[in-house]
Amino acid sequence: MKKNFYFILIILILVSCAKKIIPNEGYNQINSKRAIDLLELDKSNAKLLTPNNDYENELTLNDSVLKYNDSLKSNYQKFIFKARPDKKYKIKVNSLCNCSGLKKYLFIPQIIIKNSSNRNITESDTTYFNYEKGPLSLNRVWNIENDILKENKEIELLLFSDNSKLSENIYKFILNPIGFVPINVKSTLNGKYIIKIEEY
């Protein structure tokens, strides 16, 4: 009886969900919009982040579009935070899985840190998956280098999605109550996330 209940519950969870954006179709939408080049971006409309606090938001198809790596496009959001020269900083982004229904999606978060000489930093120091924020999340951490902190009292961040591998499998987990079924999570171009500036 208990097994039947779990089986029915899991089936309901798998099939009951709002319509999801198919990654490649969503990309066609943003690809048709005018994209801002990284060099054109300024700090207007940037959200202020307070160190050591989680900020939860969602990257959507309604956000402005930027062009990066010469030809790729993504929606993006802008942030700033005030840095202290006697402190060190990390940026942490948790991309939260849209895991309801049959299709499971996560966007791969990407950060660009711009400084006064337009030097961009895009590679994260750490990438890992876990459940620390509730649902499955893809977590990326960037260390901010000391020379950037010396140059800037106000650090500008751009958060966007790495759309170079849309619809590819990026994670697999096993759903054991219905017979150890492997579930693939695919890369998408938007979704909910949590960003945090860690000051230490």
Side-chain angles (χ1 to χ4, degrees):
M1 184 71 178
K2 205 171 190 180
K3 285 184 179 178
N4 288 340
F5 170 77
Y6 285 126
F7 180 78
I8 292 169
L9 179 64
I10 288 165
I11 294 300
L12 287 173
I13 290 170
L14 287 173
V15 298
S16 62
C17 67
K19 186 181 177 188
K20 296 181 181 180
I21 295 166
I22 297 170
N24 293 341
E25 289 180 7
Y27 190 80
N28 288 337
Q29 288 182 44
I30 65 170
N31 202 31
S32 64
K33 296 180 181 178
R34 181 188 178 272
I36 297 174
D37 190 88
L38 287 173
L39 296 177
E40 298 176 48
L41 290 167
D42 57 32
K43 294 181 182 177
S44 60
N45 301 318
K47 298 177 181 74
L48 179 65
L49 296 177
T50 306
N52 298 323
N53 288 314
D54 285 351
Y55 178 82
E56 188 166 353
N57 204 3
E58 185 171 3
L59 189 66
T60 74
L61 291 178
N62 294 323
D63 288 313
S64 299
V65 177
L66 66 78
K67 184 170 71 173
Y68 65 101
N69 289 355
D70 295 328
S71 60
L72 289 172
K73 292 183 179 180
S74 172
N75 299 103
Y76 73 94
Q77 294 178 353
K78 291 189 287 187
F79 299 93
I80 56 171
F81 76 94
K82 294 176 181 176
R84 294 167 51 183
D86 58 329
K87 295 289 185 180
K88 293 183 179 180
Y89 294 90
K90 289 182 180 180
I91 306 163
K92 184 173 184 181
V93 179
N94 312 97
S95 174
L96 306 178
C97 183
N98 185 349
C99 280
S100 61
L102 294 172
K103 294 180 179 178
K104 320 293 183 188
Y105 291 118
L106 268 170
F107 82 91
I108 302 171
Q110 186 64 286
I111 287 283
I112 285 179
I113 302 169
K114 295 191 73 181
N115 66 7
S116 57
S117 58
N118 277 320
R119 179 168 147 238
N120 301 321
I121 296 174
T122 58
E123 291 303 315
S124 67
D125 296 290
T126 309
T127 300
Y128 61 97
F129 293 86
N130 67 11
Y131 295 87
E132 68 181 64
K133 297 298 181 181
L136 173 69
S137 63
L138 167 53
N139 314 297
R140 304 192 78 187
V141 181
W142 293 261
N143 288 294
I144 302 181
E145 296 174 11
N146 287 336
D147 60 334
I148 292 177
L149 296 174
K150 288 174 185 174
E151 286 183 24
N152 301 268
K153 292 180 182 176
E154 203 170 64
I155 306 296
E156 179 185 6
L157 313 174
L158 303 172
L159 181 142
F160 59 102
S161 172
D162 179 354
N163 292 335
S164 61
K165 298 177 181 177
L166 288 177
S167 297
E168 290 188 13
N169 293 336
I170 57 173
Y171 189 78
K172 181 187 287 187
F173 63 91
I174 304 297
L175 201 61
N176 44 355
I178 59 172
F180 298 96
V181 176
I183 304 293
N184 288 311
V185 181
K186 295 182 180 294
S187 169
T188 190
L189 70 168
N190 54 30
K192 293 181 179 179
Y193 67 90
I194 298 169
I195 184 170
K196 182 179 184 179
I197 303 296
E198 296 184 353
E199 180 183 80
Y200 58 100

